[in-house]
Amino acid sequence: MTIEGTMTGQILRKSLREGELEPGNEIRIAIDQTLTQDATGTLAFLEFMALNLPRVKTEVSVSYVDHNTLQTGFENADDHLFLRDCAKRFGVYFSKPGNGICHQVHLERFGRPFKTLLGSDSHTPTAGGLGMLAVGAGGMDVALAMAGVPFPMKVPEVINVRLYGRLPDWVSAKDVILELLRRLSVKGGLGKVFEYTGPGVKELSVYQRSCITNMGAELGAWTSLFPSDEITREFMRAHGREGEWAPLFPMEDAQYHGVIELDLSSLHPLIAMPHSPDNVVAVSELQGLKVDQVAIGSCTNSSYRDLKMVAELLKGKRIHPDVSLVISPGSRRVFLMLLEDGSIAQMVKAGARILELACGPCIGMGQAPPSGGVSIRTFNRNFKGRSGTEDAEVYLASPEVAVAAALKGRLVSPSVLGGYPKLKEPDRYPLDDSLLIPPDPSPVELNIRMGPNIRPLPHLPAVAEEIDATIVLKVGDNITTDDILPGGSKVLPLRSNIEAISKYTYHRLFPDFVEKMKRLGKGIIVAGENYGQGSSREHAALAPRYLGIVMILAKSFARLHRANLINYGIIPVQIEEEVYVQLQEGDQIRVQGMLEILRKREEFYVEVPKKGIKLPANLNLSERERDIVLAGGILNYYQRIL
Ligand code: MIC
Ligand code: SF4
């Protein structure tokens, strides 16, 4: 079986720098563009600085500020200055706070069909909506891509999602991806790329396609891709970039590892219930649920199409008195359109609160719902506590469903709102670049300003010959990086200071974790399936490492988090269910000859001396990954060879 004829295969072939294009093999691909955002970008640039290169080597690198825009202290503002200086010094575009959410701005301003994009954010696959192979990664991997180092990835399995028919009124792109999450779950995409083809593709605009590829991240997939067709070309023309368009289609003989048939016309409005994006049911099943808050925006649903729909549905009406409706436009271009065509006025008159053009409530930066409150959001993640309110009930749905809830104060089928607005994609967007600073043509010498909260990367000791540590934590399936290291307005400003942020490791779920680690000095975590799902934040690996976590024994790992663990020298070990059930918190674990195992063994035993048992475990690391762990992390490894 070969993936050569698929769209993924064609881009990988063009970008291949090392290895064979056989599913399961590790290859290296050239990265054309990178994106970083402020919450992961400060580490990424500290890491880039540690590589001692004068300038980035990519075609385009963009540093966005969109997550940490709430300036309640000096920390975030200092981070913005640091990132501004790094961009100037290293030849990177700088998207100032207020320009919009990285993924939407990137789609509009930089995304190019047939090219590769690596971003230090898990929703980087948004750009797959215009035929770009766009992958999320940890900051260190993006720093290396900026340094021109080809990106290592396992050749994925490619799954074909064939779309038929057209979306009925009141059903939108969000329902397509919620339906896939319902069918496949948050683990359904591990090791896979989803390619969308079929006659239904032409019924979707680029923004709608991007809503789908964006939330492909929630399936755990490497990425998702749509063809680049005339609709893509028109989108790029509307953004003044038709010259950058290139066609992309699967070849006639393309082979896929699986086919999913999806008839768009059979879909109805769906909603993900607390606390997982795959906990999906029909809106009709929850009819009447009382709603406290409605939040519209995020990189998934804040395009012109989505917000124009919201404005049209709010026009001449008033939101329910018990509901707070907040709306955050995704980009300045979209915001200007909405201002100029009167949409924002319609929203405001209806009672909406207009927020900054940023991630905002999606990552708990403001707008936490009331205690026990029900919040309907057009976002992509509803993990427990992510909203900033531990006992809030967060639901994910389309803009149509969200706005209907805002008007009625209860969850209702959006069709009760009457006629479905017929919207047309604009022929031209205002090509506003007023908050985008292009890189200088030649290298710039300047002192990078580093505020007091920006601390050097911690030094991490290399792996010891013998592992002898306690299981400090045993967790179940689908632990998210938000569980490991939460976002929110209190913790996010500490992203540039590992010592400070490490104090919040597991602090929502296991408040004594940090104390325990301080006492023990080192420890091991045992976990179920899909450990570390969700974001790309390397802090969720680096902070536990800093506290002394040396190894994680899990039934399976989320792809992005596993890469981050390796990059920071935590050994990811795979165990079977029989082993998982025998390990308990407090067990002392011993592994002898760890260096030898890391050098050449796949299978080995972990000993629990007190119980007198030896349990089988599996390393499952590529040669490169072994070398990185042995070197004590990726920075040491590359500093040696660059
Ligand atoms: C998210 O949606 O979880 C984030 C916040 O955008 C993260 C990045 C981060 O933690 O900074 C992501 O998706 O990778
Ligand atoms: Fe920002 Fe939310 Fe998108 Fe993450 S998912 S990039 S926090 S808008």
Side-chain angles (χ1 to χ4, degrees):
M1 170 123 205
T2 168
I3 62 163
E4 298 268 357
T6 64
M7 295 184 283
T8 311
Q10 293 173 56
I11 303 180
L12 288 178
R13 168 60 63 203
K14 182 211 78 181
S15 314
L16 193 66
R17 292 294 173 272
E18 222 178 284
E20 299 291 323
L21 211 50
E22 299 289 325
N25 272 4
E26 190 169 287
I27 53 167
R28 284 169 170 275
I29 59 163
I31 295 298
D32 303 316
Q33 300 188 353
T34 64
L35 74 78
T36 48
Q37 41 89 339
D38 47 337
T40 55
T42 52
L43 274 198
F45 278 98
L46 284 171
E47 288 153 350
F48 185 78
M49 282 163 82
L51 298 172
N52 283 322
L53 292 173
R55 218 172 145 84
V56 297
K57 295 188 176 168
T58 41
E59 287 172 13
V60 169
S61 284
V62 192
S63 172
Y64 292 93
V65 178
D66 54 358
H67 283 63
N68 270 333
T69 55
L70 205 63
Q71 291 158 227
T72 51
F74 61 89
E75 295 88 349
N76 293 346
D78 284 358
D79 280 357
H80 303 169
L81 287 184
F82 169 73
L83 292 170
R84 165 76 195 102
D85 287 354
C86 286
K88 198 167 172 56
R89 166 110 163 245
F90 299 124
V92 170
Y93 280 91
F94 184 64
S95 175
K96 292 173 73 175
N99 198 36
I101 305 174
C102 56
H103 306 303
Q104 188 165 320
V105 176
H106 207 87
L107 185 80
E108 294 169 355
R109 184 61 181 73
F110 297 102
R112 290 183 72 160
F114 230 105
K115 296 267 179 186
T116 56
L117 166 69
L118 196 73
S120 63
D121 192 283
S122 65
H123 290 106
T124 302
T126 312
L130 50 63
M132 185 169 209
L133 192 88
V135 174
M140 187 65 219
D141 285 324
V142 177
L144 287 164
M146 290 194 281
V149 177
F151 175 64
M153 67 182 282
K154 266 211 172 139
V155 178
E157 291 189 355
V158 185
I159 305 295
N160 184 202
V161 186
R162 282 194 61 80
L163 302 177
Y164 301 93
R166 62 192 311 187
L167 293 171
D169 289 356
W170 304 107
V171 177
S172 70
K174 183 72 153 212
D175 299 304
V176 176
I177 189 66
L178 287 176
E179 169 63 10
L180 286 175
L181 278 154
R182 189 186 69 77
R183 291 193 200 175
L184 304 175
S185 92
V186 290
K187 301 195 290 276
L190 294 179
K192 301 188 168 89
V193 170
F194 290 90
E195 271 194 26
Y196 292 81
T197 66
V201 164
K202 67 174 187 324
E203 302 296 332
L204 301 171
S205 69
V206 167
Y207 284 118
Q208 287 174 310
R209 297 173 185 183
S210 296
C211 165
I212 296 170
T213 59
N214 172 290
M215 273 189 85
E218 274 51 70
L219 292 164
W222 271 101
T223 190
S224 306
L225 258 180
F226 269 85
S228 169
D229 55 9
E230 278 308 310
I231 294 174
T232 320
R233 188 184 198 146
E234 263 160 41
F235 169 86
M236 294 185 74
R237 187 183 305 138
H239 281 288
R241 300 196 292 122
E242 191 185 358
E244 295 177 14
W245 178 78
L248 175 69
F249 297 98
M251 290 178 178
E252 251 169 44
D253 58 354
Q255 297 176 24
Y256 290 99
H257 288 86
V259 179
I260 297 171
E261 310 273 346
L262 212 160
D263 181 359
L264 298 174
S265 57
S266 71
L267 292 174
H268 45 264
L270 296 170
I271 189 159
M273 300 196 297
H275 297 284
S276 179
D278 61 358
N279 197 7
V280 174
V281 296
V283 167
S284 55
E285 285 183 43
L286 298 177
Q287 187 93 3
L289 177 78
K290 190 159 170 16
V291 171
D292 301 288
Q293 182 192 55
V294 173
I296 295 173
S298 94
C299 57
T300 329
N301 279 114
S302 55
S303 63
Y304 179 72
R305 180 258 168 221
D306 288 341
L307 300 188
K308 181 74 186 158
M309 172 66 69
V310 168
E312 286 300 304
L313 293 172
L314 289 175
K315 194 173 174 178
K317 301 189 182 129
R318 272 284 164 85
I319 60 166
H320 190 276
D322 295 344
V323 174
S324 164
L325 168 65
V326 294
I327 300 174
S328 25
S331 73
R332 211 167 162 75
R333 289 182 175 189
V334 163
F335 190 43
L336 280 170
M337 289 277 287
L338 296 167
L339 280 169
E340 282 163 12
D341 72 7
S343 300
I344 296 289
Q346 286 167 14
M347 294 171 177
V348 171
K349 283 183 190 161
R353 301 159 69 181
I354 308 298
L355 302 182
E356 208 184 349
L357 285 61
C359 301
C362 179
I363 186 58
M365 279 301 220
Q367 305 302 327
S371 293
V374 169
S375 179
I376 311 288
R377 300 177 161 212
T378 65
F379 305 167
N380 44 33
R381 291 186 173 142
N382 59 344
F383 304 142
K384 193 166 175 18
R386 181 173 156 110
S387 66
T389 304
E390 198 54 35
D391 61 358
E393 303 276 301
V394 177
Y395 295 75
L396 308 174
S398 67
E400 288 87 335
V401 170
V403 80
L407 287 166
K408 301 292 173 192
R410 293 184 182 274
L411 202 60
V412 290
S413 163
S415 59
V416 302
L417 298 182
Y420 190 61
K422 296 285 173 223
L423 304 180
K424 199 181 143 305
E425 272 299 306
D427 297 332
R428 190 88 179 156
Y429 282 84
L431 304 183
D432 174 81
D433 270 343
S434 54
L435 292 185
L436 183 72
I437 304 178
D440 288 284
S442 46
V444 177
E445 273 308 313
L446 90 162
N447 260 344
I448 292 175
R449 287 165 287 181
M450 288 173 73
N453 185 51
I454 304 176
R455 294 293 169 80
L457 296 167
H459 173 74
L460 303 173
V463 182
E465 173 62 36
E466 180 182 296
I467 302 279
D468 187 1
T470 308
I471 298 179
V472 277
L473 201 60
K474 181 174 176 181
V475 290
D477 293 346
N478 296 325
I479 284 290
T480 72
T481 52
D482 282 83
D483 294 330
I484 304 170
L485 201 58
S489 54
K490 193 163 155 200
V491 184
L492 272 174
L494 305 175
R495 285 287 181 96
S496 312
N497 182 340
I498 297 305
E499 188 196 344
I501 205 167
S502 68
K503 296 183 181 135
Y504 292 90
T505 313
Y506 271 116
H507 118 114
R508 278 184 36 245
L509 294 187
F510 309 103
D512 60 344
F513 178 83
V514 173
E515 261 323 297
K516 236 193 220 169
M517 284 305 301
K518 274 200 189 131
R519 216 170 46 242
L520 294 166
K522 59 186 169 166
I524 290 176
I525 294 172
V526 173
E529 301 276 4
N530 200 21
Y531 182 75
Q533 69 157 329
S535 82
S536 68
R537 66 191 71 152
E538 23 185 12
H539 306 74
L542 186 48
R545 177 77 180 92
Y546 178 80
L547 294 173
I549 293 294
V550 289
M551 181 183 267
I552 296 183
L553 303 164
K555 288 198 254 174
S556 66
F557 293 88
R559 189 260 309 171
L560 246 164
H561 187 59
R562 179 180 172 279
N564 286 336
L565 291 173
I566 293 168
N567 284 353
Y568 287 104
I570 296 185
I571 312 169
V573 175
Q574 210 181 326
I575 52 168
E576 298 298 327
E577 169 69 15
E578 306 83 78
V579 173
Y580 176 81
V581 292
Q582 293 186 63
L583 295 170
Q584 305 306 337
E585 224 167 277
D587 284 350
Q588 192 73 14
I589 296 278
R590 191 177 300 153
V591 182
Q592 278 169 334
M594 195 64 232
L595 296 182
E596 178 66 11
I597 295 169
L598 274 170
R599 269 183 215 115
K600 40 184 176 252
R601 286 189 23 215
E602 232 357 85
E603 284 154 19
F604 65 103
Y605 286 92
V606 292
E607 246 183 279
V608 190
K610 277 235 174 89
K611 292 182 174 165
I613 50 173
K614 275 187 169 187
L615 302 167
N618 209 302
L619 210 47
N620 238 336
L621 295 179
S622 71
E623 223 166 279
R624 184 191 58 90
E625 291 169 337
R626 286 168 191 267
D627 288 346
I628 292 171
V629 177
L630 279 165
I634 196 162
L635 208 50
N636 297 348
Y637 173 78
Y638 273 104
Q639 273 169 337
R640 254 187 243 159
I641 64 171
L642 270 185

